Amino acid sequence: MASATLYKFSKRKNSTKQPTGTGTVVTLTLKSGTSFISPTFLLNNSGKPDYNYVSFEGSYYFIRDIVSVRNDLWELFCEIDALATVKAAILASTQYVCYSSSSGNT
C-alpha cells in the first residue's frame, strides 16, 4: 500500500503543467504485475471516484478508465504524463530549434 494524490485536473495536450493545490490524498495498491508507464491501481473508496489525474511516487498519471471490481473496490487504469513527470529536467535543459530553409518554413 502506498500514498497517492488524486486530482480533478485539466490540461492542454503537450503541456508540462502539473496540478496545484492539495488534491485528495488516498491509499492505493499497485495491481500485481503492473508497469510504471501504464499502471493499474486498486482503490478502496465508497462510491465511484470522479478523478482524472493522479500523482504517485514522483510521477504524474492520467486516469484513463475506472472499473468497479466489487463493492467499494475500484481499478484505476492509468497512463503516464511524461511531460509533467520530467518537467524539472525539461526546464533545466537547453534546446535549439532548427528550421529547414528548403521546406519553406522560416
Side-chain angles (χ1 to χ4, degrees):
M1 295 189 123
S3 178
T5 306
L6 299 173
Y7 299 94
K8 295 177 189 175
F9 182 66
S10 65
K11 64 182 273 183
R12 288 185 235 169
K13 185 178 179 182
N14 296 329
S15 166
T16 60
K17 184 177 178 183
Q18 295 174 335
T20 57
T22 57
T24 303
V25 178
V26 296
T27 301
L28 294 174
T29 304
L30 275 171
K31 189 172 181 180
S32 296
T34 196
S35 85
F36 277 97
I37 302 298
S38 299
T40 301
F41 298 106
L42 297 172
L43 171 66
N44 283 309
N45 191 57
S46 60
K48 181 182 181 286
D50 61 346
Y51 302 98
N52 64 349
Y53 205 76
V54 62
S55 171
F56 176 74
E57 297 289 324
S59 296
Y60 294 94
Y61 299 93
F62 296 107
I63 298 174
R64 295 297 184 203
D65 197 9
I66 300 173
V67 176
S68 174
V69 177
R70 61 177 180 269
N71 291 346
D72 300 335
L73 182 64
W74 302 88
E75 285 183 333
L76 307 178
F77 293 90
C78 300
E79 178 182 303
I80 196 160
D81 181 357
L83 292 177
T85 298
V86 297
K87 180 178 182 173
I90 291 170
L91 294 177
S93 64
T94 304
Q95 294 83 24
Y96 295 97
V97 178
C98 299
Y99 294 95
S100 170
S101 61
S102 63
S103 66
N105 184 356
T106 59

